[in-house]
Amino acid sequence: MSLEQLIKNCIKQDAEAQSQLYKLYASKLFSLCLKYSKNYAEAEDNLHDAFLTVFSKINQYNNKGSFEGWLKRIAINTSLQRYRDHVGVYDIVNEEHIEDVSVDINDDNLSIDFLLQIIQELPDRYRLVFNLYVLDGYSHVEISELINISTGTSKSNLARARVILKNKIEDYKANLNSQSLL
């Protein structure tokens, strides 16, 4: 069945079509939800809620842009909404300028699993901004609107996330070097 037909059947609330759509996109959307969730269980909840939104609003998809992009935006917004609901008003007031730090990840000794792990270990507010800006290409203005913070706070949180990641990478490399000397 074509994607177009699958969408039409989902609009008609055909359970088989909904199941097929879920199977087709669940793994991609789950990995996206995991980036914006505290843990695996929360990512599962966010994925479930995202699909509930997809199925209730699929008739609003107007074939402009990719369907997968539309799904991804729903998954991201669902995860961010859960974050906003649990955190309430963003409590970061200090927006002092922090020097922008670059993080060198072009190193054969850094596995993708290690990088994903240290990103996941970032404090929520830093992880969200880092993922939105670096991994998903949102601007600071868009991020500020998505998670109800100022543009300056978005920039500050990104800089702080980079400092934390840089320090973890440097520690990791130092441990590798000390182990290789043994």
Side-chain angles (χ1 to χ4, degrees), residues 93-154:
V93 177
N94 186 356
E95 296 179 10
E96 74 219 28
H97 177 70
I98 296 180
E99 187 175 323
D100 195 23
V101 173
S102 64
V103 179
D104 179 22
I105 59 172
N106 295 323
D107 187 325
D108 292 336
N109 293 325
L110 299 177
S111 71
I112 191 72
D113 290 336
F114 170 73
L115 293 172
L116 291 174
Q117 175 190 337
I118 63 174
I119 290 169
Q120 195 66 24
E121 290 171 354
L122 288 168
D124 290 343
R125 62 186 179 265
Y126 299 162
R127 187 184 75 252
L128 291 175
V129 171
F130 182 86
N131 285 338
L132 287 166
Y133 187 84
V134 175
L135 301 180
D136 292 319
Y138 285 84
S139 71
H140 286 295
V141 171
E142 291 170 316
I143 294 168
S144 69
E145 293 169 359
L146 283 170
I147 58 176
N148 298 324
I149 60 174
S150 72
T151 303
T153 298
S154 177

Side-chain angles (χ1 to χ4, degrees), residues 4-176:
E4 185 178 323
Q5 188 59 48
L6 196 57
I7 292 169
K8 286 179 183 178
N9 290 354
C10 285
I11 290 172
K12 295 175 187 174
Q13 297 184 359
D14 177 328
E16 179 60 33
Q18 290 174 335
S19 177
Q20 285 181 347
L21 188 75
Y22 180 87
K23 289 175 185 172
L24 192 59
Y25 290 102
S27 64
K28 288 180 184 178
L29 296 182
F30 179 74
S31 64
L32 191 62
C33 288
L34 192 56
K35 284 191 328 191
Y36 295 102
S37 303
K38 288 181 180 184
N39 54 45
Y40 195 89
E42 185 177 281
E44 288 177 328
D45 289 345
N46 288 338
L47 178 68
H48 177 262
D49 292 348
F51 269 103
L52 289 176
T53 301
V54 166
F55 294 138
S56 69
K57 296 186 177 191
I58 197 162
N59 62 326
Q60 295 176 12
Y61 175 68
N62 56 12
N63 290 317
K64 292 184 179 173
S66 78
F67 182 68
E68 187 173 328
W70 184 76
L71 293 173
K72 286 180 177 182
R73 186 164 287 276
I74 289 174
I76 289 171
N77 287 337
T78 300
S79 299
L80 293 177
Q81 185 59 49
R82 181 179 299 265
Y83 175 77
R84 287 189 298 264
D85 289 347
H86 286 96
V87 173
V89 177
Y90 219 82
D91 60 353
I92 300 300
V93 177
N94 186 356
E95 296 179 10
E96 74 219 28
H97 177 70
I98 296 180
E99 187 175 323
D100 195 23
V101 173
S102 64
V103 179
D104 179 22
I105 59 172
N106 295 323
D107 187 325
D108 292 336
N109 293 325
L110 299 177
S111 71
I112 191 72
D113 290 336
F114 170 73
L115 293 172
L116 291 174
Q117 175 190 337
I118 63 174
I119 290 169
Q120 195 66 24
E121 290 171 354
L122 288 168
D124 290 343
R125 62 186 179 265
Y126 299 162
R127 187 184 75 252
L128 291 175
V129 171
F130 182 86
N131 285 338
L132 287 166
Y133 187 84
V134 175
L135 301 180
D136 292 319
Y138 285 84
S139 71
H140 286 295
V141 171
E142 291 170 316
I143 294 168
S144 69
E145 293 169 359
L146 283 170
I147 58 176
N148 298 324
I149 60 174
S150 72
T151 303
T153 298
S154 177
K155 291 177 182 179
S156 174
N157 287 347
L158 176 63
R160 290 170 192 223
R162 285 180 170 164
V163 166
I164 292 169
L165 293 173
K166 180 180 181 194
N167 289 338
K168 287 185 179 213
I169 289 170
E170 288 173 353
D171 290 347
Y172 178 77
K173 287 179 179 180
N175 284 338
L176 282 179

